[in-house]
Amino acid sequence: MAGAIASRMSFSSLKRKQPKTFTVRIATMDAEMEFSCEVTGRDRAPGAGGSAEVKWKGKDLFDLVCRTLGLRETWFFGLQYTIKDTVAWLKMDKKVLDHDVPTEEPVTFHFLAKFYPENAEEELVQEITQHLFFLQYGDYDPNVHKRGFLAQEELLPKRVINLYQMTPEMWEERITAWYAEHRGRARDEAEMEYLKIAQDLEMYGVNYFAIRNKKGTELLLGVDALGLHIYDPDNRLTPKISFPWNEIRNISYSDKEFTIKPLDKKIDVFKFNSSKLRVNKLILQLCIGNHDLFMRRRKADSLEVQQMKAQAREEKARKQMERQRLAREKQMREEAERKRDELERRLMQLKEEATMANEALMRSEETADLLAEKAQITEEEAKLLAQKAAEAEQEMQRIKATAIRTEEEKRLMEQKVLEAEMLALKMAEESERRAKEADQLKQDLQEARESERRAKQKLLEITSKSSYTQSMNSSTTALPTDLPSFNLISESLSFDFKDTDMKRLSMEIEKEKVEYMEKSKHLQEQLNELKTEIEALKLKERETALDILHNENASRGNSKHNTIKKLTLQSTKSRVAFFEEL
């Protein structure tokens, strides 16, 4: 009995010791991660493998995600969730499960950019930070990116496609041409060019909220890296009033009413109302975070940021050297392949020439045999004719010696003599012609044999060249796989940056920066050319209100920064008064 009770107590104790856990799913812009988190237990740091034994706060989960991603510029990002159709961000000092999050597991948060840089090129130091702001598609490869490869890619919104009188093939042709032209560009350069274009758009990094001023006028509040902006609900591109962060002293809210205190204490506060208390909490979070980053940018970099920038410069220099090494290796490989192809082409040409020479040799041999046979026949015919001519001459002499008794016999004899003389003359001419023909055939035979000799000599030369080409071909194709210079270069990469000539490194970085600026300028020119080219194909009747407003701003030369700068030329007091009278 006592044993059974002890057994039950032990089992109950074991059950109490088993910690409760909950599963958290983190969705980044291109991947998902899951962590098993304990609700109760001893106060220990998060363990390996994505599990922990503490009551996690938002900062614990956020830090674990950042460490997993290798991210150090954490101040741009946050963990977002949605509750009752409203976007909310996980608070760092609040326990995860104390947030108003869905109770179903896994609890899902989205790791997204919460704050945006004013100047991406200046502020985004780490490559992973830049990559999280923009996900790229890869380098152009003609063997992979064949006709139709963009059919499954959503590179352009359907609204943009429908706005122009262009077929999908026309879009693909233009995109592919540009894609191929920028082949070989480093991923970080391509991403930065994209971000530089995006950050100049009017709606970049702006969070919009529906508000009302004290007169009850419906307006939009825009919160971004530069400050607070007031918009007409029908125009999210051009603000009516702007208040930079350096003009704002304090922000607070009470229930649905929001209060903004200007830096100048002589200026009255101005207030507005939002639709929900939850929205006010979100506005306050964004205002505090953007204000802190705004002031931080205008101070000297912290030691951590200085270290990150120094490491980024070293990493950039290392990657530049690596890219140069790979470019040289690629160039040498392409050169070796070009030489190999040239040698193979030359080998095929020599083989064709050898085949032709063999055929010519065979024809020469056949011609020589025929000429020799014909010369022999002609020579025999000439001998036979000469023999017949001699016989005719003898017959003529015999006839002349014979006495002719009658005149008739004499006449007949004279006629026979004449015929014999004619025959002898004809035979002599034929014999002479045959003799000349025999001489000509002998000469042709001699020339044929000389041609045969030359053909054999050429065939011998071609055969020797072919064997030399094959040996060169085998040695050339081995170049890309075993080049000693590559080992030297790879060994030279393991140097310590602290012991190098920093002046030379600075010059290389400056040179690279100049080249990068030239590429960027060239890209802007190409963008303008493309805009001009497709403008004629735009269907004006399909333009939205925002399209029209954007075109008007562009035609007037009004950019996002110029507009805000013009709005802030007026005094803060006059802008507050203008806001309240809207």
Side-chain angles (χ1 to χ4, degrees):
M1 183 71 177
I5 294 173
S7 176
R8 272 196 222 107
M9 289 178 63
S10 176
F11 180 71
S12 300
S13 176
L14 181 63
K15 285 182 66 178
R16 283 197 301 272
K17 289 181 180 178
Q18 290 179 346
K20 296 180 181 179
T21 63
F22 68 96
T23 304
V24 175
R25 176 180 295 161
I26 305 297
T28 67
M29 286 175 277
D30 63 347
E32 286 188 354
M33 301 176 286
E34 283 195 1
F35 302 96
S36 180
C37 313
E38 293 187 5
V39 178
T40 60
R42 290 173 294 173
D43 191 13
R44 296 194 306 181
S51 63
E53 295 184 353
V54 296
K55 293 181 179 180
W56 276 23
K57 292 185 177 181
K59 189 175 188 310
D60 298 321
L61 180 59
F62 181 74
D63 289 346
L64 180 58
V65 174
C66 291
R67 286 198 303 272
T68 304
L69 295 173
L71 179 69
R72 296 179 64 184
E73 294 175 279
T74 59
W75 46 85
F76 289 112
F77 299 92
L79 293 172
Q80 187 188 91
Y81 63 97
T82 304
I83 185 68
K84 296 180 182 178
D85 299 326
T86 303
V87 170
W89 296 89
L90 197 68
K91 294 182 179 180
M92 298 292 105
D93 57 349
K94 190 175 181 180
K95 293 176 183 178
V96 175
L97 292 184
D98 287 348
H99 290 76
D100 194 6
V101 295
T103 56
E104 298 83 5
E105 292 191 40
V107 181
T108 301
F109 297 97
H110 295 272
F111 187 83
L112 298 170
K114 186 176 181 181
F115 306 106
Y116 290 80
E118 290 181 37
N119 188 322
E121 192 173 14
E122 294 281 335
E123 295 180 49
L124 302 185
V125 179
Q126 275 190 295
E127 188 174 334
I128 180 64
T129 312
Q130 178 178 302
H131 184 63
L132 287 171
F133 272 94
F134 169 77
L135 299 175
Q136 55 90 44
Y137 284 84
D139 198 11
Y140 175 78
D141 185 346
N143 297 320
V144 176
H145 302 110
K146 298 178 181 178
R147 180 176 292 276
F149 82 98
L150 291 176
Q152 304 301 322
E153 297 284 357
E154 297 181 1
L155 297 182
L156 294 172
K158 293 191 180 299
R159 183 185 63 79
V160 175
I161 295 176
N162 295 333
L163 187 59
Y164 292 88
Q165 196 172 1
M166 294 170 64
T167 63
E169 291 76 15
M170 294 170 69
W171 280 113
E172 181 174 289
E173 180 184 352
R174 283 163 172 78
I175 293 173
T176 304
W178 271 46
Y179 199 16
E181 184 175 346
H182 296 100
R183 182 186 181 189
R185 172 165 284 197
R187 189 188 77 174
D188 55 342
E189 288 185 8
E191 290 179 346
M192 184 52 67
E193 288 298 332
Y194 180 91
L195 292 174
K196 284 166 63 179
I197 294 171
Q199 73 182 8
D200 289 335
L201 299 176
E202 295 94 331
M203 298 174 67
Y204 167 81
V206 182
N207 290 279
Y208 296 94
F209 302 94
I211 62 169
R212 285 187 173 91
N213 63 2
K214 68 178 185 179
K215 293 179 65 175
T217 306
E218 293 186 353
L219 299 166
L220 283 179
L221 172 69
V223 183
D224 70 358
L226 298 174
L228 298 177
H229 315 289
I230 308 300
Y231 297 85
D232 188 291
D234 296 328
N235 184 356
R236 296 187 175 213
L237 303 185
T238 310
K240 301 180 80 65
I241 321 166
S242 287
F243 298 96
W245 293 119
N246 58 356
E247 293 184 0
I248 298 173
R249 174 167 51 93
N250 183 266
I251 303 172
S252 61
Y253 70 89
S254 176
D255 195 18
K256 295 181 181 179
E257 186 178 72
F258 223 96
T259 302
I260 308 295
K261 293 181 180 180
L263 185 65
D264 189 349
K265 296 181 180 180
K266 297 179 181 179
I267 302 174
D268 294 335
V269 300
F270 62 98
K271 302 178 180 181
F272 58 82
N273 292 307
S274 65
S275 57
K276 301 176 184 177
L277 176 61
R278 191 184 305 277
V279 172
N280 272 357
K281 293 179 180 179
L282 178 58
I283 293 173
L284 185 62
Q285 281 186 30
L286 294 175
C287 287
I288 292 173
N290 276 300
H291 182 273
D292 289 346
L293 286 176
F294 181 89
M295 303 308 294
R296 179 176 178 172
R297 293 183 191 105
R298 283 146 184 83
K299 296 178 182 178
D301 290 335
S302 65
L303 182 60
E304 181 187 6
V305 174
Q306 291 178 27
Q307 290 175 346
M308 278 196 293
K309 287 185 176 180
Q311 291 173 359
R313 284 194 296 269
E314 292 178 1
E315 181 68 11
K316 190 173 184 180
R318 187 191 66 77
K319 286 187 176 182
Q320 178 66 15
M321 294 182 68
E322 178 69 11
R323 282 197 291 265
Q324 291 175 356
R325 183 187 71 81
L326 291 175
R328 288 194 297 268
E329 181 180 345
K330 182 179 179 182
Q331 184 179 2
M332 293 176 70
R333 181 175 285 109
E334 289 176 349
E335 181 66 19
E337 290 175 353
R338 188 189 63 77
K339 288 182 179 179
R340 182 193 64 193
D341 294 341
E342 178 64 24
L343 288 173
E344 288 178 352
R345 187 190 64 78
R346 180 59 181 160
L347 178 60
M348 292 297 297
Q349 183 180 352
L350 290 174
K351 286 181 179 178
E352 291 176 0
E353 290 181 2
T355 302
M356 294 174 62
N358 273 325
E359 292 175 354
L361 178 60
M362 292 176 64
R363 288 195 299 269
S364 298
E365 290 176 349
E366 291 174 358
T367 303
D369 292 342
L370 290 173
L371 288 174
E373 183 179 353
K374 190 173 181 181
Q376 183 180 357
I377 293 171
T378 304
E379 188 174 356
E380 291 176 355
E381 288 179 350
K383 288 180 180 179
L384 183 59
L385 287 173
Q387 182 180 353
K388 288 183 177 181
E391 290 176 357
E393 181 66 23
Q394 290 176 3
E395 180 66 20
M396 185 183 66
Q397 293 297 331
R398 187 181 66 77
I399 291 172
K400 284 184 179 180
T402 303
I404 302 173
R405 296 183 177 180
T406 61
E407 190 67 25
E408 183 64 24
E409 289 177 349
K410 183 178 180 181
R411 186 182 64 76
L412 290 172
M413 186 58 67
E414 287 178 351
Q415 184 176 354
K416 287 183 180 180
V417 169
L418 182 59
E419 289 176 357
E421 288 179 350
M422 291 294 291
L423 180 59
L425 180 60
K426 186 176 181 180
M427 295 293 275
E429 291 175 353
E430 181 67 18
S431 177
E432 183 178 358
R433 186 181 68 78
R434 290 289 184 174
K436 289 181 178 179
E437 185 175 350
D439 292 339
Q440 182 64 39
L441 286 172
K442 288 179 180 179
Q443 184 177 353
D444 292 345
L445 178 59
Q446 186 177 359
E447 291 178 356
R449 286 174 177 166
E450 178 65 22
S451 175
E452 179 182 353
R453 186 189 63 78
R454 289 196 301 270
K456 287 181 179 179
Q457 181 66 26
K458 185 172 182 181
L459 181 60
L460 182 62
E461 293 176 358
I462 291 171
T463 305
S464 62
K465 287 182 180 179
S466 176
S467 61
Y468 173 74
T469 304
Q470 290 175 352
S471 64
M472 284 293 291
N473 187 21
S474 61
S475 62
T476 305
T477 53
L479 279 175
T481 59
D482 188 17
L483 291 173
S485 60
F486 296 159
N487 294 330
L488 290 174
I489 294 171
S490 62
E491 289 174 5
S492 66
L493 285 175
S494 61
F495 63 88
D496 186 355
F497 277 90
K498 295 179 181 178
D499 297 334
T500 57
D501 187 354
M502 294 305 294
K503 184 177 180 181
R504 178 183 61 79
L505 183 61
S506 299
M507 290 177 65
E508 290 180 358
I509 293 174
E510 186 64 27
K511 180 181 178 183
E512 181 185 353
K513 186 175 181 181
V514 172
E515 293 175 353
Y516 174 72
M517 293 300 293
E518 290 177 354
K519 288 181 183 178
S520 180
K521 182 180 178 182
H522 178 59
L523 181 62
Q524 289 295 332
E525 292 173 352
Q526 288 181 318
L527 280 173
N528 291 333
E529 290 176 5
L530 179 63
K531 288 178 183 177
T532 304
E533 180 183 352
I534 67 175
E535 189 65 27
L537 301 172
K538 183 181 285 187
L539 299 172
K540 299 291 185 182
E541 64 274 12
R542 294 184 182 177
E543 287 186 331
T544 65
L546 289 178
D547 291 327
I548 296 171
L549 289 170
H550 176 75
N551 293 335
E552 289 176 354
N553 286 340
S555 63
R556 294 171 186 163
N558 293 336
S559 67
K560 173 182 179 180
H561 296 281
N562 288 343
T563 302
I564 294 175
K565 188 175 181 180
K566 290 177 183 177
L567 291 174
T568 54
L569 290 176
Q570 300 175 351
S571 67
T572 308
K573 184 176 182 179
S574 62
R575 277 178 277 142
V576 171
F578 181 75
F579 166 73
E580 293 181 343
E581 292 300 321
L582 284 174

